[in-house]
Amino acid sequence: MAVTTWSIIGLLALCHSSIAGYTKFPPGFTFGVATASHQIEGAWNVSGKSENVWDRLTHTRPELIADGTNGDIACDSYHRLHEDVEELVALGVHFYRFSLSWSRILPTGRIDYVNPDGIRYYNELLDLLAENNIEPLVTLFHWDLPQSLQDLGGWANPKMIDYFYDYSDFCFKEFGGKIKSWITFNEPYEICEDAYGDEKKAPAIDSHGVGNYLCSDTLLKAHAESYHLYNETYRPVQNGRIFISINSIWYEPSDPENSELVALAEVANQFKFGWFAHPIFTVEGGYPKVMVENIARQSEAEGLRKPRLEQFDAYWIQRIKGTSDFLGINHYTTHLITGAGVDPIAKSPSWLKDIGAVTTMEVGGDSASEWLRVVPTGFANLLRWCKISYNDPPIYITENGFSDRGDLEDYGRIKYFNDYLSEILNVINDDKVNVLGYTAWTLMDNFEWRAGFSERFGFYYVNITDPARPRTPKLSVQYYRELIDNHELPHFDRYKDPSVRTARRC
Ligand SMILES: *[C@@H]1O[C@H](CO)[C@@H](O)[C@H](O)[C@H]1NC(C)=O
Ligand SMILES: *[C@@H]1O[C@H](CO)[C@@H](O)[C@H](O)[C@H]1NC(C)=O
Ligand SMILES: *[C@@H]1O[C@H](CO)[C@@H](O)[C@H](O)[C@H]1NC(C)=O
């Protein structure tokens, strides 16, 4: 009798919540929303800002941008930061993740000249946030490198370790009184693989299999030096925290029963996430063993004297290890590993060829972005893997979101948030993964890099044909606000697309 009653209650609970078993977030769990300087600020050539690599790319090769747009005006946040903050207040977020534009603050890229207007702009934003009790979470580098430093080789030049150190030092000193949470780099994979190993991101240096690995060497060292500077010099006075945001497409075997595919998916995850996480978050440090071995083997076959990726020496392994207070994760989607060998789209040499596996996109819900398939369970698997691989680190989700073409009734986005957040609750409760906070991408539709404005991820719709760049709240604003206010997933039935009828057996 008791058993039967409980089974019925269990069934009802399942039907009632339809997707999520858990709905309440743990006490202290925080919610925010993210943006990036180049994607929203505009004002590319005013008040002393210098040219960055995205200005250069969009002006010299506009055909690379899907809709021919650029970041010259973008959302005009440079002139509209009061509106931005009003939107943040309307959302009710605990924190706002934004990035500093290096070329607006230090136009030469070096600390020999400071642009006073850059300092003024960010202080104004920080003061507005403080007045509204919104905590800043500030990214030092979100892809908009000063062109002057790119002219010297950008992240392929080891001298960048010094330039990034000086820039970080300047920002900690200037803004550190108002900022308690720093992120050094946003998505190192995209910086190194897409910008120095491919043309997918600026500066679009297609040095596949070579430039990407020079970049990771420099970037990880630059990250570590910035961390140590903060840890030793600024943390004792400013009491903040500093970490890195690593992005991942999570790879799963197309057939979970096939042990070869299971092993290859692990290799792919080491190449993707482990490339930057392993040197920082493991006890042994350094690049993942399988990466070092695969690339050494292929480099030898190519007749090279040294591997294209060199393992760090003992000094740097030690220096890089442990340099992140949290594991920041940007996650959107899951792809599949379908076989061994060289992926048909892989160039030679390249990161993809070095993996030695064939990848395809997961069959899942579609978004406006070709690469973004909706696979909520993949997020849970990634989070469990991070807990195991990196000794149970405290985790902040620093980006997660969904693109459409700009729907005001953005049911697809709401469903995405609901389903991905449900998976986060599952791993927090069932697997004790230590997730402390969540950041939605993004505050408003913005310049989505090579997709221009054709793929829209925002809570607010931005009309880019109107010079005033008016922002209109989408339905997801109400959803996220309700979620944050109640510290609980809203009842999804109230936000379901009425045009989609789903058969329910309850
Ligand atoms: C700034 O760039 C705009 C194009 O976005 C151009 O029309 C304008 O002349 C430039 N201003 C200066 C001062 O160079
Ligand atoms: C950060 O500083 C503390 C206090 O000096 C020190 O114990 C710790 O080892 C440092 N962290 C790293 C990763 O060096
Ligand atoms: C965008 O702004 C333009 C110019 O003001 C206007 O004609 C158009 O109707 C607006 N579009 C939307 C979707 O609001």
Side-chain angles (χ1 to χ4, degrees):
M1 178 62 185
V3 172
T4 317
T5 311
W6 278 111
S7 321
I8 290 165
I9 291 169
L11 244 163
L12 286 175
L14 214 75
C15 285
H16 171 74
S17 59
S18 81
I19 295 159
Y22 303 103
T23 58
K24 277 261 170 217
F25 286 88
F29 192 97
T30 53
F31 291 95
V33 67
T35 62
S37 48
H38 188 77
Q39 294 181 271
I40 63 165
E41 286 180 7
W44 81 279
N45 59 356
V46 307
S47 303
K49 178 185 163 294
S50 72
E51 186 188 27
N52 67 40
V53 292
W54 277 94
D55 297 322
R56 175 66 65 90
L57 186 77
T58 52
H59 295 154
T60 56
R61 301 176 72 188
E63 71 281 1
L64 290 182
I65 311 304
D67 57 2
T69 56
N70 57 41
D72 289 5
I73 302 172
C75 305
D76 203 21
S77 284
Y78 176 80
H79 295 109
R80 296 175 199 284
L81 78 177
H82 286 263
E83 283 171 58
D84 290 359
V85 174
E86 279 165 27
E87 289 156 26
L88 294 166
V89 169
L91 279 165
V93 288
H94 304 120
F95 64 90
Y96 177 40
R97 177 179 171 219
F98 64 96
S99 78
L100 302 175
S101 160
W102 190 336
S103 62
R104 193 179 298 288
I105 296 171
L106 303 175
T108 63
R110 303 180 306 266
I111 47 167
D112 53 0
Y113 173 68
V114 178
N115 177 25
D117 184 64
I119 309 301
R120 187 237 7 117
Y121 176 68
Y122 292 113
N123 272 321
E124 205 171 316
L125 175 56
L126 288 164
D127 292 343
L128 276 172
L129 293 174
E131 279 166 31
N132 288 284
N133 269 322
I134 299 166
E135 218 205 302
L137 167 55
V138 177
T139 312
L140 284 164
F141 187 77
H142 201 128
W143 308 357
D144 43 358
L145 188 70
Q147 182 61 40
S148 56
L149 298 181
Q150 184 52 47
D151 292 342
L152 303 175
W155 293 107
N157 176 3
K159 192 71 191 160
M160 278 299 298
I161 301 164
D162 286 342
Y163 294 133
F164 188 70
Y165 180 96
D166 289 344
Y167 165 61
S168 306
D169 190 26
F170 181 83
C171 294
F172 297 150
K173 197 178 303 164
E174 186 66 39
F175 303 116
K178 299 174 181 174
I179 297 170
K180 293 286 169 254
S181 302
W182 296 93
I183 291 170
T184 53
F185 287 92
N186 177 70
E187 303 190 351
Y189 171 90
E190 304 293 311
I191 298 166
C192 292
E193 176 57 24
D194 280 6
Y196 293 86
D198 206 327
E199 294 193 327
K200 290 179 188 162
K201 305 268 152 59
I205 311 270
D206 193 10
S207 172
H208 42 86
V210 179
N212 48 339
Y213 298 136
L214 297 180
C215 169
S216 66
D217 192 74
T218 309
L219 186 148
L220 281 159
K221 290 172 180 172
H223 158 79
E225 291 308 317
S226 175
Y227 178 93
H228 287 297
L229 169 66
Y230 188 81
N231 193 42
E232 280 153 35
T233 308
Y234 290 94
R235 199 200 302 271
V237 251
Q238 295 180 353
N239 269 314
R241 50 218 191 143
I242 180 163
F243 60 112
I244 189 167
S245 282
I246 297 178
N247 67 303
S248 166
I249 282 175
W250 173 247
Y251 290 105
E252 293 193 343
S254 56
D255 174 5
E257 304 295 317
N258 179 326
S259 59
E260 189 192 18
L261 294 183
V262 171
L264 283 170
E266 173 64 18
V267 174
N269 287 320
Q270 290 297 345
F271 265 79
K272 183 94 187 191
F273 201 85
W275 184 4
F276 296 95
H278 196 279
I280 300 173
F281 295 95
T282 61
V283 176
E284 65 269 30
Y287 290 121
K289 197 160 164 273
V290 67
M291 243 189 128
V292 174
E293 286 172 359
N294 276 17
I295 299 168
R297 197 171 55 244
Q298 304 235 21
S299 302
E300 199 183 338
E302 290 151 18
L304 300 177
R305 189 169 56 84
K306 285 181 171 185
R308 286 177 277 104
L309 176 76
E310 287 186 66
Q311 180 59 284
F312 295 109
D313 64 17
Y315 171 82
W316 280 108
I317 286 180
Q318 200 55 38
R319 188 80 180 149
I320 294 167
K321 255 170 44 172
T323 55
S324 195
D325 298 339
F326 305 99
L327 173 56
I329 299 180
N330 291 4
H331 179 75
Y332 292 86
T333 195
T334 293
H335 290 177
L336 294 178
I337 297 296
T338 57
V342 181
D343 194 296
I345 62 162
K347 293 172 182 167
S348 189
S350 66
W351 172 86
L352 187 53
K353 189 180 174 199
D354 289 333
I355 298 177
V358 180
T359 66
T360 63
M361 296 203 205
E362 169 72 274
V363 208
D366 289 339
S367 69
S369 311
E370 208 227 336
W371 56 271
L372 203 175
R373 305 300 163 97
V374 183
V375 192
T377 53
F379 199 4
N381 291 334
L382 165 67
L383 289 166
R384 285 187 204 102
W385 183 83
C386 284
K387 178 186 165 92
I388 296 163
S389 305
Y390 306 120
N391 195 25
D392 198 12
I395 294 171
Y396 273 93
I397 310 305
T398 39
E399 281 183 28
N400 178 236
F402 175 86
S403 63
D404 56 23
R405 300 289 177 200
D407 310 340
L408 290 181
E409 298 200 319
D410 53 344
Y411 293 109
R413 175 164 299 103
I414 293 171
K415 180 161 171 46
Y416 181 97
F417 284 140
N418 178 75
D419 293 358
Y420 274 65
L421 282 161
S422 297
E423 291 296 342
I424 293 174
L425 283 174
N426 286 342
V427 298
I428 290 175
N429 288 290
D430 295 343
D431 305 282
K432 309 293 171 223
V433 179
N434 192 8
V435 187
L436 301 171
Y438 177 87
T439 319
W441 181 268
T442 177
L443 179 58
M444 59 198 142
D445 295 341
N446 59 43
F447 177 68
E448 190 53 39
W449 313 111
R450 282 194 51 187
F453 280 84
S454 68
E455 297 171 13
R456 290 164 173 261
F457 284 82
F459 282 113
Y460 285 79
Y461 175 84
V462 176
N463 184 346
I464 58 158
T465 53
D466 188 326
R469 294 297 192 271
R471 291 104 151 93
T472 310
K474 303 177 188 176
L475 186 61
S476 54
V477 170
Q478 190 186 315
Y479 173 85
Y480 203 48
R481 170 85 207 209
E482 188 180 332
L483 189 164
I484 295 170
D485 281 355
N486 298 336
H487 214 60
E488 180 173 20
L489 288 180
H491 205 298
F492 183 65
D493 281 355
R494 296 190 17 247
Y495 289 99
K496 261 201 322 221
D497 186 347
S499 69
V500 178
R501 299 185 73 94
T502 47
R504 294 185 67 195
R505 288 172 201 279
C506 294

